[in-house]
Amino acid sequence: MADLKERLLPPKPASAFNLREVSNRPSASGRQTFQGVDVLGVKKRGQGIRSWIRVDTAGNSQAIEVDKFTMMRRCDLPARDLRLLDPLFVYPSTILGREKAIVVNLEQIRCIITADEVLLLNSLDSYVLHYVMELQRRLTTTGAGEVWQSDDSDMNRRRGGSRNFENAFSNSSPDYLPFEFRALEVALEAACTFLDSQAAELEIEAYPLLDELTSKISTLNLERVRRLKSRLVALTRRVQKVRDEIEQLMDDDGDMAEMYLTEKKRRAELSFYGDQSMVGYKSVDGASVSAPVSPVSSPPDSRRLEKCLSIARSRHESMRSSESATENIEELEMLLEAYFVVIDSTLNKLTSLKEYIDDTEDFINIQLDNVRNQLIQFELLLTTATFVVAIFGVVAGIFGMNFEIPLFDVPSAFQWVLIITGVCGVFIFSAFVWFFKYRRLMPL
C-alpha cells in the first residue's frame, strides 16, 4: 500500500531553501519569477490542472496531471460531466454512458472509463487505492491482457490486408468481459461493499442501543437514537440512489448499448480500414483518388462492383452490430442485475433496521401512554380523596361558628360528629370509585 501511494501521489513540495534558490534564478521560459513564485506556473495551476491515476488495459498505473479542457478533448466529454467528478461538490451517485467514455460517480469512486484506460481523481482515500489495486489484480490475473493483445495483432494484420471483416470478431472470447465492463464491475463492487459495510456497522451499533432504550428511557439514550436515525436516513438515501441508478440503466437498452465502448471503437476501426481498402482498390484499378473522375470515362463494371461491395459490407456490419449489441446488452444486464441484488439486499437491511426503530418508538410511546394513564388515575384518586377530606373542613367550619346549641353540652358529641363525618366520607369516596370503574376510567 505504501509503495502504491508513493507511485501514485504527486511529489512532495520543495523546501524553503529550494524555493529561495528558484526565486533567484529565471524560469525555463526566460521570465523572472516574482517573489519566489513562477507566474506561468500559477497561471497553469489556475487552469484546473489536477492529478489523475491512469490504469490501462494491461493493468499498468501511473499518475498524470491533466487540465480540464485536455480531459474534455481526450475523453470527448462535456464540462457538466467532469463537474460530476469534482470532489468540491457533492453530487448523487451517477453512471453516464457517453460516446467514448463512461462517467462513474459512485460514493468515493469517481472515474472516467474509456475503451483503453481508466482515469481516477488522485485521492488519499483508501477506497480509491483499493479500487486501483483490485482493478490491476483482475486485469493481470485473468489473462485479459492476452485477449486484447490478440485483438491488437488482428487489427495489425488487417492493416496489411490479410484479414476479412469476419475475422475481426473471431478472437473475442465470451469468457472475458470488455475492459470498460471490468472497470465498471470493480467500481460497482467497491460502492456496494462500502455501503454494505456501513449498513453492517450501523446494525451493530443500533440493535444494542435500541434494546437499552426499551429497558431504560432516558434523555441520553433518546439523543443517541435520534443521531442513529439521522445517520440511517442519510445512508438509506445514498443506497436508494445507487439502486435507482442501476435500475434505470437496466430498464433502458439504449443506455446499456451506449456503454459498450470497445464494440463502438472496433466498429469505427473496421469502417476506417474498410474505407482504406476501398481506396487501395481504386488505386490498384488505375483511378486517382485526389483527381476527379468523369462518370463517362470510368468503367461501369468497377462502379457496379464497388456498389455491391459497399452494400454487402453495410449489411454485414449492421447484422454483426445488432447481434453483438444484443449479446453485450445481455452481458451488461446480467452484470448490473448481480449488483442490483446486492444493493437491494443492503437496502432491505436498512429498511428492516428502520422498521425496528419504528417498532421501538411505538413501544416507547405505548409505555409513555401507560405511565401517563397511571398518573391520570392517581391524580383522579387524589382529587377524590381531597374532596372527602374537605368535608371534614366543612363540618369543622360549621361547628366552629360563634353560637350556642345544646349539642355542645354533651360530652360525647365530638366523637359522634367525627364518626358520622368519617362514615359519610368513606361512603362518598366509595361511590366515586365505583363510578370511575363503571365508566372505565380506572382498571378493574
Side-chain angles (χ1 to χ4, degrees), residues 109-160:
I109 306 301
R110 299 186 178 190
C111 62
I112 301 174
I113 303 174
T114 64
D116 301 322
E117 59 186 2
V118 177
L119 298 170
L120 296 97
L121 282 174
N122 200 349
S123 175
L124 295 176
D125 195 347
S126 60
Y127 283 94
V128 176
L129 300 179
H130 288 162
Y131 173 81
V132 175
M133 295 175 61
E134 181 65 19
L135 182 59
Q136 289 178 341
R137 185 187 66 81
R138 295 193 182 187
L139 291 176
T140 55
T141 57
T142 56
E146 299 178 358
V147 177
W148 299 114
Q149 290 176 2
S150 63
D151 293 338
D152 294 338
S153 62
D154 291 339
M155 296 306 297
N156 292 329
R157 286 198 299 269
R158 173 161 181 79
R159 294 190 185 99

Short mmCIF file of all heavy atoms in Angstrom, two decimals, residues 109-160:
data_model
loop_
_atom_site.label_atom_id
_atom_site.label_comp_id
_atom_site.label_asym_id
_atom_site.label_seq_id
_atom_site.Cartn_x
_atom_site.Cartn_y
_atom_site.Cartn_z
N ILE A 109 -15.66 6.45 -5.42
CA ILE A 109 -15.09 6.13 -6.72
C ILE A 109 -15.64 7.12 -7.75
O ILE A 109 -16.83 7.08 -8.10
CB ILE A 109 -15.42 4.68 -7.13
CG1 ILE A 109 -14.98 3.71 -6.03
CG2 ILE A 109 -14.74 4.34 -8.44
CD1 ILE A 109 -13.51 3.77 -5.70
N ARG A 110 -14.77 8.01 -8.23
CA ARG A 110 -15.14 8.97 -9.26
C ARG A 110 -14.12 8.83 -10.38
O ARG A 110 -12.94 9.19 -10.22
CB ARG A 110 -15.13 10.40 -8.72
CG ARG A 110 -16.12 10.61 -7.58
CD ARG A 110 -16.19 12.05 -7.16
NE ARG A 110 -17.18 12.26 -6.11
CZ ARG A 110 -17.58 13.45 -5.68
NH1 ARG A 110 -17.06 14.54 -6.22
NH2 ARG A 110 -18.48 13.55 -4.73
N CYS A 111 -14.55 8.28 -11.50
CA CYS A 111 -13.61 7.95 -12.56
C CYS A 111 -14.26 8.10 -13.92
O CYS A 111 -15.48 8.23 -14.04
CB CYS A 111 -13.07 6.53 -12.38
SG CYS A 111 -14.33 5.24 -12.49
N ILE A 112 -13.40 8.09 -14.94
CA ILE A 112 -13.81 8.10 -16.34
C ILE A 112 -13.27 6.82 -16.97
O ILE A 112 -12.05 6.57 -16.94
CB ILE A 112 -13.28 9.33 -17.08
CG1 ILE A 112 -13.79 10.61 -16.42
CG2 ILE A 112 -13.68 9.30 -18.54
CD1 ILE A 112 -13.20 11.87 -17.01
N ILE A 113 -14.14 6.02 -17.52
CA ILE A 113 -13.77 4.74 -18.12
C ILE A 113 -13.88 4.86 -19.63
O ILE A 113 -14.94 5.24 -20.15
CB ILE A 113 -14.66 3.61 -17.60
CG1 ILE A 113 -14.60 3.51 -16.08
CG2 ILE A 113 -14.26 2.28 -18.22
CD1 ILE A 113 -15.57 2.51 -15.48
N THR A 114 -12.80 4.57 -20.34
CA THR A 114 -12.80 4.52 -21.79
C THR A 114 -12.50 3.10 -22.24
O THR A 114 -12.36 2.19 -21.41
CB THR A 114 -11.78 5.50 -22.38
OG1 THR A 114 -10.46 5.10 -21.96
CG2 THR A 114 -12.03 6.93 -21.87
N ALA A 115 -12.39 2.91 -23.54
CA ALA A 115 -12.11 1.57 -24.05
C ALA A 115 -10.66 1.16 -23.82
O ALA A 115 -10.33 -0.03 -23.94
CB ALA A 115 -12.43 1.51 -25.55
N ASP A 116 -9.78 2.12 -23.49
CA ASP A 116 -8.36 1.82 -23.35
C ASP A 116 -7.81 2.10 -21.97
O ASP A 116 -6.72 1.63 -21.64
CB ASP A 116 -7.54 2.64 -24.36
CG ASP A 116 -7.97 2.34 -25.80
OD1 ASP A 116 -8.26 1.17 -26.07
OD2 ASP A 116 -8.01 3.28 -26.61
N GLU A 117 -8.52 2.89 -21.13
CA GLU A 117 -7.94 3.29 -19.87
C GLU A 117 -9.03 3.69 -18.89
O GLU A 117 -10.19 3.90 -19.27
CB GLU A 117 -6.98 4.48 -20.08
CG GLU A 117 -7.66 5.69 -20.68
CD GLU A 117 -6.69 6.80 -21.02
OE1 GLU A 117 -5.47 6.61 -20.82
OE2 GLU A 117 -7.15 7.86 -21.49
N VAL A 118 -8.63 3.78 -17.62
CA VAL A 118 -9.48 4.29 -16.55
C VAL A 118 -8.76 5.45 -15.90
O VAL A 118 -7.58 5.33 -15.53
CB VAL A 118 -9.79 3.20 -15.51
CG1 VAL A 118 -10.62 3.77 -14.38
CG2 VAL A 118 -10.51 2.04 -16.14
N LEU A 119 -9.44 6.57 -15.76
CA LEU A 119 -8.87 7.78 -15.19
C LEU A 119 -9.62 8.10 -13.91
O LEU A 119 -10.82 8.36 -13.93
CB LEU A 119 -8.96 8.95 -16.17
CG LEU A 119 -8.21 8.76 -17.50
CD1 LEU A 119 -8.59 9.85 -18.48
CD2 LEU A 119 -6.71 8.74 -17.27
N LEU A 120 -8.90 8.06 -12.78
CA LEU A 120 -9.48 8.36 -11.48
C LEU A 120 -8.83 9.62 -10.93
O LEU A 120 -7.64 9.87 -11.15
CB LEU A 120 -9.28 7.23 -10.47
CG LEU A 120 -9.91 5.89 -10.73
CD1 LEU A 120 -8.90 4.95 -11.37
CD2 LEU A 120 -10.39 5.28 -9.42
N LEU A 121 -9.62 10.39 -10.20
CA LEU A 121 -9.05 11.53 -9.50
C LEU A 121 -8.12 11.04 -8.40
O LEU A 121 -8.51 10.21 -7.57
CB LEU A 121 -10.16 12.40 -8.90
CG LEU A 121 -10.89 13.32 -9.88
CD1 LEU A 121 -12.06 14.00 -9.19
CD2 LEU A 121 -9.95 14.37 -10.43
N ASN A 122 -6.89 11.53 -8.41
CA ASN A 122 -5.91 11.10 -7.42
C ASN A 122 -6.34 11.57 -6.05
O ASN A 122 -6.56 12.75 -5.82
CB ASN A 122 -4.54 11.67 -7.78
CG ASN A 122 -3.42 10.91 -7.11
OD1 ASN A 122 -3.66 10.09 -6.23
ND2 ASN A 122 -2.21 11.15 -7.53
N SER A 123 -6.49 10.64 -5.14
CA SER A 123 -7.00 10.95 -3.82
C SER A 123 -6.28 10.12 -2.78
O SER A 123 -5.71 9.07 -3.08
CB SER A 123 -8.52 10.69 -3.75
OG SER A 123 -9.00 10.88 -2.45
N LEU A 124 -6.29 10.62 -1.54
CA LEU A 124 -5.70 9.88 -0.43
C LEU A 124 -6.66 8.87 0.17
O LEU A 124 -6.31 8.19 1.12
CB LEU A 124 -5.25 10.86 0.66
CG LEU A 124 -4.11 11.82 0.28
CD1 LEU A 124 -3.85 12.80 1.42
CD2 LEU A 124 -2.84 11.06 -0.06
N ASP A 125 -7.86 8.79 -0.36
CA ASP A 125 -8.86 7.87 0.17
C ASP A 125 -8.41 6.43 -0.06
O ASP A 125 -7.96 6.07 -1.16
CB ASP A 125 -10.21 8.12 -0.49
CG ASP A 125 -11.35 7.46 0.28
OD1 ASP A 125 -11.06 6.63 1.16
OD2 ASP A 125 -12.51 7.79 0.00
N SER A 126 -8.53 5.62 0.96
CA SER A 126 -8.09 4.22 0.83
C SER A 126 -8.94 3.44 -0.15
O SER A 126 -8.46 2.50 -0.79
CB SER A 126 -8.13 3.55 2.21
OG SER A 126 -9.44 3.56 2.74
N TYR A 127 -10.22 3.84 -0.30
CA TYR A 127 -11.08 3.11 -1.24
C TYR A 127 -10.63 3.31 -2.67
O TYR A 127 -10.78 2.42 -3.51
CB TYR A 127 -12.52 3.57 -1.06
CG TYR A 127 -13.20 2.98 0.15
CD1 TYR A 127 -13.21 3.66 1.36
CD2 TYR A 127 -13.80 1.74 0.10
CE1 TYR A 127 -13.81 3.11 2.49
CE2 TYR A 127 -14.41 1.18 1.21
CZ TYR A 127 -14.41 1.88 2.41
OH TYR A 127 -14.99 1.32 3.51
N VAL A 128 -10.07 4.48 -3.01
CA VAL A 128 -9.56 4.71 -4.36
C VAL A 128 -8.34 3.83 -4.61
O VAL A 128 -8.22 3.21 -5.68
CB VAL A 128 -9.22 6.20 -4.54
CG1 VAL A 128 -8.59 6.45 -5.91
CG2 VAL A 128 -10.46 7.06 -4.38
N LEU A 129 -7.44 3.75 -3.65
CA LEU A 129 -6.27 2.88 -3.80
C LEU A 129 -6.67 1.41 -3.87
O LEU A 129 -6.09 0.64 -4.65
CB LEU A 129 -5.30 3.12 -2.64
CG LEU A 129 -4.76 4.55 -2.49
CD1 LEU A 129 -3.84 4.64 -1.28
CD2 LEU A 129 -4.04 4.98 -3.75
N HIS A 130 -7.66 1.02 -3.08
CA HIS A 130 -8.13 -0.37 -3.16
C HIS A 130 -8.77 -0.65 -4.52
O HIS A 130 -8.63 -1.75 -5.06
CB HIS A 130 -9.15 -0.63 -2.05
CG HIS A 130 -8.53 -0.70 -0.69
ND1 HIS A 130 -9.25 -0.58 0.48
CD2 HIS A 130 -7.24 -0.89 -0.30
CE1 HIS A 130 -8.44 -0.69 1.51
NE2 HIS A 130 -7.22 -0.87 1.07
N TYR A 131 -9.46 0.35 -5.07
CA TYR A 131 -10.05 0.17 -6.40
C TYR A 131 -8.95 -0.04 -7.44
O TYR A 131 -9.06 -0.93 -8.31
CB TYR A 131 -10.89 1.39 -6.75
CG TYR A 131 -11.40 1.39 -8.17
CD1 TYR A 131 -12.52 0.66 -8.54
CD2 TYR A 131 -10.76 2.13 -9.16
CE1 TYR A 131 -12.99 0.64 -9.84
CE2 TYR A 131 -11.22 2.13 -10.47
CZ TYR A 131 -12.33 1.38 -10.80
OH TYR A 131 -12.78 1.38 -12.10
N VAL A 132 -7.88 0.75 -7.38
CA VAL A 132 -6.78 0.62 -8.34
C VAL A 132 -6.11 -0.74 -8.19
O VAL A 132 -5.84 -1.43 -9.19
CB VAL A 132 -5.77 1.76 -8.15
CG1 VAL A 132 -4.56 1.57 -9.05
CG2 VAL A 132 -6.42 3.11 -8.45
N MET A 133 -5.87 -1.15 -6.96
CA MET A 133 -5.21 -2.44 -6.73
C MET A 133 -6.09 -3.61 -7.20
O MET A 133 -5.60 -4.56 -7.83
CB MET A 133 -4.88 -2.59 -5.25
CG MET A 133 -3.86 -1.59 -4.74
SD MET A 133 -3.59 -1.70 -2.96
CE MET A 133 -3.00 -3.37 -2.80
N GLU A 134 -7.39 -3.53 -6.92
CA GLU A 134 -8.28 -4.61 -7.35
C GLU A 134 -8.40 -4.67 -8.85
O GLU A 134 -8.42 -5.76 -9.45
CB GLU A 134 -9.65 -4.41 -6.71
CG GLU A 134 -10.68 -5.47 -7.05
CD GLU A 134 -10.32 -6.85 -6.51
OE1 GLU A 134 -9.49 -6.92 -5.57
OE2 GLU A 134 -10.86 -7.84 -7.02
N LEU A 135 -8.47 -3.51 -9.50
CA LEU A 135 -8.55 -3.49 -10.97
C LEU A 135 -7.27 -4.04 -11.59
O LEU A 135 -7.32 -4.81 -12.56
CB LEU A 135 -8.82 -2.07 -11.44
CG LEU A 135 -8.98 -1.87 -12.96
CD1 LEU A 135 -10.14 -2.71 -13.48
CD2 LEU A 135 -9.19 -0.41 -13.30
N GLN A 136 -6.11 -3.67 -11.05
CA GLN A 136 -4.86 -4.21 -11.55
C GLN A 136 -4.79 -5.72 -11.35
O GLN A 136 -4.32 -6.45 -12.23
CB GLN A 136 -3.69 -3.53 -10.84
CG GLN A 136 -3.48 -2.08 -11.24
CD GLN A 136 -2.34 -1.44 -10.47
OE1 GLN A 136 -1.93 -1.95 -9.42
NE2 GLN A 136 -1.81 -0.34 -10.96
N ARG A 137 -5.24 -6.18 -10.20
CA ARG A 137 -5.20 -7.63 -9.94
C ARG A 137 -6.06 -8.40 -10.93
O ARG A 137 -5.63 -9.43 -11.46
CB ARG A 137 -5.65 -7.90 -8.51
CG ARG A 137 -5.53 -9.35 -8.08
CD ARG A 137 -6.15 -9.57 -6.71
NE ARG A 137 -7.58 -9.37 -6.76
CZ ARG A 137 -8.46 -10.30 -7.18
NH1 ARG A 137 -8.02 -11.46 -7.60
NH2 ARG A 137 -9.75 -10.04 -7.18
N ARG A 138 -7.24 -7.87 -11.22
CA ARG A 138 -8.13 -8.59 -12.14
C ARG A 138 -7.63 -8.53 -13.57
O ARG A 138 -7.81 -9.47 -14.34
CB ARG A 138 -9.54 -8.00 -12.05
CG ARG A 138 -10.18 -8.19 -10.70
CD ARG A 138 -11.65 -7.89 -10.72
NE ARG A 138 -12.25 -8.04 -9.41
CZ ARG A 138 -13.55 -7.97 -9.17
NH1 ARG A 138 -14.39 -7.72 -10.17
NH2 ARG A 138 -14.02 -8.12 -7.95
N LEU A 139 -7.01 -7.42 -13.94
CA LEU A 139 -6.51 -7.30 -15.31
C LEU A 139 -5.28 -8.15 -15.54
O LEU A 139 -5.04 -8.61 -16.66
CB LEU A 139 -6.20 -5.84 -15.63
CG LEU A 139 -7.40 -4.89 -15.75
CD1 LEU A 139 -6.93 -3.47 -15.97
CD2 LEU A 139 -8.34 -5.31 -16.86
N THR A 140 -4.51 -8.37 -14.50
CA THR A 140 -3.26 -9.12 -14.66
C THR A 140 -3.39 -10.61 -14.39
O THR A 140 -2.57 -11.39 -14.85
CB THR A 140 -2.18 -8.55 -13.73
OG1 THR A 140 -2.67 -8.54 -12.38
CG2 THR A 140 -1.82 -7.13 -14.15
N THR A 141 -4.42 -11.02 -13.65
CA THR A 141 -4.53 -12.43 -13.27
C THR A 141 -5.50 -13.23 -14.12
O THR A 141 -5.42 -14.44 -14.16
CB THR A 141 -4.98 -12.57 -11.80
OG1 THR A 141 -6.22 -11.87 -11.61
CG2 THR A 141 -3.92 -11.98 -10.88
N THR A 142 -6.43 -12.58 -14.80
CA THR A 142 -7.44 -13.31 -15.57
C THR A 142 -7.07 -13.48 -17.02
O THR A 142 -7.84 -14.06 -17.79
CB THR A 142 -8.79 -12.58 -15.49
OG1 THR A 142 -8.61 -11.23 -15.96
CG2 THR A 142 -9.30 -12.54 -14.07
N GLY A 143 -5.89 -12.97 -17.42
CA GLY A 143 -5.49 -13.15 -18.80
C GLY A 143 -6.18 -12.25 -19.76
O GLY A 143 -6.24 -12.53 -20.95
N ALA A 144 -6.74 -11.15 -19.26
CA ALA A 144 -7.43 -10.24 -20.17
C ALA A 144 -6.46 -9.53 -21.08
O ALA A 144 -6.79 -9.17 -22.21
CB ALA A 144 -8.22 -9.20 -19.36
N GLY A 145 -5.23 -9.31 -20.61
CA GLY A 145 -4.27 -8.63 -21.46
C GLY A 145 -3.96 -9.42 -22.71
O GLY A 145 -3.72 -8.85 -23.78
N GLU A 146 -3.93 -10.76 -22.60
CA GLU A 146 -3.68 -11.58 -23.79
C GLU A 146 -4.78 -11.44 -24.81
O GLU A 146 -4.55 -11.44 -26.01
CB GLU A 146 -3.52 -13.03 -23.38
CG GLU A 146 -2.34 -13.25 -22.42
CD GLU A 146 -2.26 -14.69 -21.99
OE1 GLU A 146 -3.14 -15.46 -22.43
OE2 GLU A 146 -1.34 -15.04 -21.24
N VAL A 147 -6.02 -11.32 -24.34
CA VAL A 147 -7.14 -11.17 -25.27
C VAL A 147 -7.02 -9.87 -26.04
O VAL A 147 -7.18 -9.83 -27.26
CB VAL A 147 -8.47 -11.23 -24.50
CG1 VAL A 147 -9.63 -11.00 -25.44
CG2 VAL A 147 -8.61 -12.58 -23.82
N TRP A 148 -6.70 -8.80 -25.33
CA TRP A 148 -6.60 -7.51 -26.02
C TRP A 148 -5.38 -7.46 -26.92
O TRP A 148 -5.41 -6.83 -27.98
CB TRP A 148 -6.54 -6.38 -24.99
CG TRP A 148 -7.75 -6.35 -24.13
CD1 TRP A 148 -7.81 -6.59 -22.80
CD2 TRP A 148 -9.10 -6.08 -24.54
NE1 TRP A 148 -9.09 -6.50 -22.34
CE2 TRP A 148 -9.91 -6.19 -23.38
CE3 TRP A 148 -9.71 -5.78 -25.75
CZ2 TRP A 148 -11.27 -5.98 -23.42
CZ3 TRP A 148 -11.07 -5.57 -25.79
CH2 TRP A 148 -11.83 -5.68 -24.64
N GLN A 149 -4.28 -8.14 -26.52
CA GLN A 149 -3.13 -8.18 -27.39
C GLN A 149 -3.43 -8.95 -28.66
O GLN A 149 -2.98 -8.59 -29.75
CB GLN A 149 -1.96 -8.82 -26.65
CG GLN A 149 -1.40 -7.93 -25.54
CD GLN A 149 -0.30 -8.62 -24.77
OE1 GLN A 149 0.05 -9.76 -25.10
NE2 GLN A 149 0.23 -7.96 -23.75
N SER A 150 -4.20 -10.02 -28.54
CA SER A 150 -4.58 -10.76 -29.74
C SER A 150 -5.46 -9.92 -30.65
O SER A 150 -5.33 -9.97 -31.87
CB SER A 150 -5.29 -12.06 -29.35
OG SER A 150 -6.51 -11.75 -28.68
N ASP A 151 -6.35 -9.12 -30.05
CA ASP A 151 -7.16 -8.24 -30.87
C ASP A 151 -6.31 -7.20 -31.58
O ASP A 151 -6.54 -6.87 -32.74
CB ASP A 151 -8.22 -7.54 -29.99
CG ASP A 151 -9.24 -8.53 -29.47
OD1 ASP A 151 -9.36 -9.59 -30.11
OD2 ASP A 151 -9.89 -8.25 -28.45
N ASP A 152 -5.30 -6.66 -30.87
CA ASP A 152 -4.43 -5.67 -31.49
C ASP A 152 -3.63 -6.29 -32.63
O ASP A 152 -3.44 -5.66 -33.68
CB ASP A 152 -3.47 -5.08 -30.44
CG ASP A 152 -4.23 -4.27 -29.41
OD1 ASP A 152 -5.36 -3.84 -29.73
OD2 ASP A 152 -3.72 -4.08 -28.28
N SER A 153 -3.16 -7.53 -32.43
CA SER A 153 -2.43 -8.18 -33.51
C SER A 153 -3.32 -8.46 -34.70
O SER A 153 -2.89 -8.35 -35.85
CB SER A 153 -1.80 -9.48 -32.99
OG SER A 153 -2.82 -10.39 -32.57
N ASP A 154 -4.58 -8.79 -34.42
CA ASP A 154 -5.51 -9.00 -35.53
C ASP A 154 -5.74 -7.71 -36.30
O ASP A 154 -5.82 -7.72 -37.54
CB ASP A 154 -6.84 -9.53 -34.99
CG ASP A 154 -6.69 -10.94 -34.45
OD1 ASP A 154 -5.72 -11.61 -34.86
OD2 ASP A 154 -7.53 -11.34 -33.63
N MET A 155 -5.84 -6.60 -35.60
CA MET A 155 -6.03 -5.32 -36.29
C MET A 155 -4.79 -4.95 -37.09
O MET A 155 -4.88 -4.36 -38.17
CB MET A 155 -6.36 -4.23 -35.27
CG MET A 155 -7.68 -4.44 -34.52
SD MET A 155 -9.09 -4.67 -35.61
CE MET A 155 -9.09 -3.08 -36.44
N ASN A 156 -3.61 -5.30 -36.56
CA ASN A 156 -2.39 -5.03 -37.32
C ASN A 156 -2.34 -5.86 -38.58
O ASN A 156 -1.91 -5.38 -39.65
CB ASN A 156 -1.16 -5.31 -36.45
CG ASN A 156 -1.04 -4.32 -35.31
OD1 ASN A 156 -1.45 -3.17 -35.46
ND2 ASN A 156 -0.48 -4.75 -34.17
N ARG A 157 -2.77 -7.10 -38.50
CA ARG A 157 -2.80 -7.94 -39.71
C ARG A 157 -3.83 -7.43 -40.69
O ARG A 157 -3.69 -7.56 -41.90
CB ARG A 157 -3.11 -9.38 -39.33
CG ARG A 157 -1.94 -10.11 -38.67
CD ARG A 157 -2.13 -11.61 -38.72
NE ARG A 157 -3.32 -12.00 -38.01
CZ ARG A 157 -3.33 -12.31 -36.73
NH1 ARG A 157 -2.21 -12.22 -36.02
NH2 ARG A 157 -4.45 -12.69 -36.13
N ARG A 158 -4.86 -6.79 -40.17
CA ARG A 158 -5.87 -6.24 -41.07
C ARG A 158 -5.32 -5.07 -41.86
O ARG A 158 -5.68 -4.85 -43.02
CB ARG A 158 -7.10 -5.81 -40.28
CG ARG A 158 -8.09 -5.10 -41.16
CD ARG A 158 -9.47 -5.03 -40.61
NE ARG A 158 -10.32 -4.33 -41.56
CZ ARG A 158 -10.82 -4.88 -42.63
NH1 ARG A 158 -10.57 -6.15 -42.90
NH2 ARG A 158 -11.58 -4.19 -43.47
N ARG A 159 -4.42 -4.30 -41.22
CA ARG A 159 -3.81 -3.20 -41.94
C ARG A 159 -3.01 -3.72 -43.13
O ARG A 159 -2.86 -3.04 -44.14
CB ARG A 159 -2.89 -2.41 -41.00
CG ARG A 159 -3.64 -1.68 -39.89
CD ARG A 159 -2.71 -0.73 -39.15
NE ARG A 159 -3.38 -0.12 -38.01
CZ ARG A 159 -3.27 -0.50 -36.77
NH1 ARG A 159 -2.53 -1.58 -36.49
NH2 ARG A 159 -3.88 0.13 -35.79
N GLY A 160 -2.47 -4.92 -43.02
CA GLY A 160 -1.73 -5.49 -44.13
C GLY A 160 -2.63 -6.08 -45.19
O GLY A 160 -2.16 -6.49 -46.26
#
